[in-house]
Amino acid sequence: MKRRSLLMAALAAPSIVPTRSSWAQGGAQAAWPAKTVRFICPFAPGGGTDTVSRLMCDQLTKLLGQQFVVENKGGAGGNIGTAELARAAPDGYTLGLITVASHTLNPMLYSKLPYNPDKDIVGVSRVALLANLLGVTPSLPANNVAELIALCKKDPGKYSFASSGPGTSLHLSGELFKKLAGVDIIHVPYKGAGPVYHDLMAGTVNMMFANMPSMLPHVRANKLKGLGVTSAQRSKAAPDIPTIAETVPGYVATSWYGIGAPAGTPEPILARLEGAIAEALKSPDIQKRWSDDLGLDMPPPGRKGFDEFVAEDRKLWAPAVQASGVKLD
């Protein structure tokens, strides 16, 4: 009788055997990463997106004990690489760089995207805030923004500006400059910022609004002339370069980089990745490269507030998109 009562009590008691889903999540948390992680950079090698992708992957490799390998998937203003990230298996082994292009600008520029930035990708953390830098070919007879505007107004349609592709922040920075400065300059799109520099130095194209990490080293090496930054205040990395707004009132166009994962990636993986990114951003090497070398600002890391930040960023960029009149389909 006593034995039977014990058996009945055991059958009635709630099971403490872990469910399949909780075991899988716990296993993912303990094991990830167990192999190489692919990191998609949705732009060509050589630009600021590529530089930041590689620096972050180096840090994550050290912190998590597996290789994080950058794959450049440029084209269509970042849409090709971002769509590949969105369609990837949500297992933690495909991550990618997300940017002002993929999450802020492209939803306003395209009536139909090959991905939904709000549903298909989890924003794990922002990693950098940055201004663009207006650089011109050394032979161009303009040493400041006012002289550049005068030159362009003297010969409308003669001068050109390159970008990493239609609808990117680099392109829209130029379109906003055209609108507010009242100049006629020709847009020349490339598949990424990296391939532009040879042509820019040679004078094949005359100017480019480029992300600070890729442009600033060329300016410091006197291979290009830096005329102005697109932020509201001067950059801490290059305080001697004026803001464009000092000559063109109201001109502001800033960018950001972040790290994303396919929607459905298990929570333990997201949490571990989020923590590793926060740790990477504390690295003295990264902090020095961000502030001293690349002209980047450090945003608060993590998923908290990410969606709200993107919503606000879309509001800030809407006037630039409207002023440009650009629509990409």
Side-chain angles (χ1 to χ4, degrees):
M1 210 40 203
K2 190 179 291 185
R3 187 173 171 187
R4 183 176 176 183
S5 298
L6 288 172
L7 179 60
M8 292 299 291
L11 290 172
S15 173
I16 58 171
V17 177
T19 64
R20 184 180 183 86
S21 61
S22 66
W23 178 87
Q25 287 191 349
Q29 185 178 28
W32 184 87
K35 60 181 181 179
T36 298
V37 177
R38 184 170 68 126
F39 190 95
I40 297 172
C41 173
F43 295 96
T49 51
D50 181 59
T51 300
V52 168
S53 294
R54 294 181 187 281
L55 288 170
M56 287 303 301
C57 282
D58 286 347
Q59 289 294 320
L60 293 174
T61 294
K62 294 173 186 175
L63 289 167
L64 295 172
Q66 291 290 344
Q67 288 292 318
F68 282 67
V69 178
V70 175
E71 289 187 14
N72 296 90
K73 299 282 184 177
N79 284 343
I80 292 174
T82 306
E84 186 166 334
L85 171 64
R87 291 193 296 263
D91 58 6
Y93 292 101
T94 300
L95 306 171
L97 196 77
I98 55 178
T99 68
V100 64
S102 65
H103 279 56
T104 299
L105 299 176
N106 290 350
M108 293 189 280
L109 292 165
Y110 292 83
S111 59
K112 186 176 181 181
L113 285 174
Y115 63 92
N116 185 318
D118 301 321
K119 294 181 179 180
D120 297 341
I121 298 170
V122 178
V124 182
S125 181
R126 288 176 288 158
V127 296
L129 302 173
L130 64 153
N132 291 333
L133 173 57
L134 170 57
V136 303
T137 187
S139 60
L140 198 70
N143 295 307
N144 54 55
V145 173
E147 290 179 2
L148 178 64
I149 292 172
L151 192 68
C152 293
K153 285 186 174 180
K154 181 181 177 182
D155 291 300
K158 178 180 178 179
Y159 299 100
S160 59
F161 77 99
S163 81
S164 54
T168 60
S169 70
L170 280 59
H171 173 209
L172 291 177
S173 292
E175 293 292 345
L176 186 62
F177 181 74
K178 286 172 61 176
K179 178 75 173 179
L180 297 183
V183 295
D184 178 14
I185 50 178
I186 307 302
H187 175 225
V188 181
Y190 286 70
K191 287 188 176 180
V196 178
Y197 284 106
H198 179 271
D199 288 355
L200 186 58
M201 291 173 197
T204 306
V205 288
N206 306 115
M207 65 194 88
M208 177 168 66
F209 295 80
N211 293 156
M212 278 285 234
S214 63
M215 177 67 79
L216 192 56
H218 296 297
V219 171
R220 285 176 169 165
N222 294 317
K223 294 178 179 179
L224 295 170
K225 292 190 286 189
L227 301 191
V229 295
T230 64
S231 51
Q233 290 84 33
R234 294 193 182 198
S235 168
K236 294 177 183 177
D240 55 318
I241 300 178
T243 66
I244 293 173
E246 290 175 40
T247 304
V248 184
Y251 184 97
V252 178
T254 54
S255 301
W256 57 271
Y257 300 148
I259 291 177
T265 300
E267 171 59 29
I269 292 177
L270 293 176
R272 189 166 191 213
L273 176 61
E274 184 179 10
I277 293 170
E279 192 65 27
L281 293 176
K282 293 178 185 176
S283 159
D285 179 52
I286 286 290
Q287 293 198 351
K288 181 180 183 303
R289 292 297 304 274
W290 260 223
S291 62
D292 297 347
D293 302 336
L294 302 176
L296 302 174
D297 288 322
M298 195 78 71
R303 286 175 282 174
K304 184 178 179 181
F306 195 105
D307 293 341
E308 292 79 4
F309 167 80
V310 170
E312 188 61 30
D313 198 50
R314 288 173 185 166
K315 293 178 184 177
L316 293 174
W317 271 99
V321 174
Q322 186 176 6
S324 73
V326 174
K327 206 66 181 166
L328 303 171
D329 283 301

